[in-house]
């Protein structure tokens, strides 16, 4: 099925899916270069720093894979193809860090091939994007152990 590319990003959590333990279900991608030597990271809008493209799996999306590819488009401006499921990664934040605005999360990540990088995308004015070698990305993702775990599960050249 071809990926539908919307001109605007979805906002809010009205259509958010939740797991059996009340955790927010989030889908994300590890976008690798064709030679698997680099990963594409995006700037976080909330915390600053760099993150992997990810976001809520919504009720109108049939699969977490579909949600992950939508998030890749909205946040990073990439059209991608899933090449490997990286599995579920639990939320690694301490209980004191969880709030009603930032509830517990279960992440589902996919390694993707970048088929196209667009020059215009829904969150272009909110986020930068940058290709990084493994060591650069590892350093950038240190504050987010769940994202670093996703990177480490991918086939990027280390």
């Amino acid at each position: 099925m071809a990926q539908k590319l919307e001109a605007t990003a979805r906002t809010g959590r009205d259509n958010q899916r939740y797991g059996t333990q009340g955790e927010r279900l989030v889908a994300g991608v590890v976008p690798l270069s064709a030679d698997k030597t680099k990963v594409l990271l995006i700037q976080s809008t909330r915390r600053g720093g760099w993150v992997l493209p990810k976001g809520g799996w919504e009720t109108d999306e049939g699969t977490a894979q579909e949600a992950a590819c939508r998030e890749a488009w909205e946040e990073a401006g990439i059209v991608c193809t899933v090449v490997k499921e990286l599995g579920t990664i639990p939320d690694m934040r301490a209980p004191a860090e969880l709030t009603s605005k930032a509830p517990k999360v279960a992440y589902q990540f996919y390694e993707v091939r970048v088929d196209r990088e667009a020059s215009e995308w829904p969150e272009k004015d909110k986020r930068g994007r940058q290709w990084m070698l493994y060591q650069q990305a590892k350093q950038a993702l240190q504050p987010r152990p769940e994202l670093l775990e996703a990177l480490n599960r991918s086939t990027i050249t280390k």
Side-chain angles (χ1 to χ4, degrees):
M1 179 176 84
Q3 187 176 340
K4 186 176 178 187
L5 306 178
E6 298 290 342
T8 58
R10 295 180 180 197
T11 59
R13 294 192 179 157
D14 293 341
N15 297 320
Q16 173 66 57
R17 285 183 191 253
Y18 292 88
T20 57
Q21 311 285 300
E23 71 280 17
R24 187 169 166 246
L25 300 180
V26 169
V29 298
V30 179
L32 299 185
S33 59
D35 64 2
K36 298 188 180 195
T37 62
K38 295 180 185 157
V39 61
L40 185 67
L41 298 187
I42 59 170
Q43 289 177 309
S44 171
T45 59
R46 289 198 178 97
R47 299 177 172 200
W50 296 94
V51 295
L52 293 165
K54 61 175 178 32
W57 176 13
E58 298 193 353
T59 55
D60 65 337
E61 294 169 310
T63 65
Q65 184 173 315
E66 184 181 340
C69 290
R70 174 185 51 80
E71 290 291 343
W73 166 249
E74 289 178 359
E75 296 184 348
I78 57 172
V79 177
C80 60
T81 301
V82 171
V83 296
K84 182 180 179 189
E85 184 172 335
L86 300 175
T88 302
I89 298 171
D91 197 329
M92 297 180 186
R93 292 175 292 166
E97 295 178 85
L98 303 175
T99 67
S100 61
K101 288 193 185 264
K104 191 170 183 81
V105 173
Y107 298 92
Q108 178 66 49
F109 272 96
Y110 300 90
E111 180 177 317
V112 297
R113 178 186 70 235
V114 176
D115 299 321
R116 181 169 65 91
E117 272 184 81
S119 57
E120 297 292 325
W121 68 94
E123 296 188 11
K124 179 183 180 185
D125 294 334
K126 288 189 198 177
R127 301 176 186 274
R129 65 183 178 194
Q130 184 176 326
W131 287 100
M132 295 185 189
L133 296 170
Y134 173 76
Q135 288 300 328
Q136 291 174 287
K138 178 181 172 184
Q139 187 66 35
L141 297 175
Q142 271 321 115
R144 301 293 302 274
E146 67 283 356
L147 304 185
L148 182 54
E149 175 64 22
L151 177 65
N152 285 332
R153 289 184 185 186
S154 78
T155 60
I156 191 169
T157 303
K158 294 178 177 75

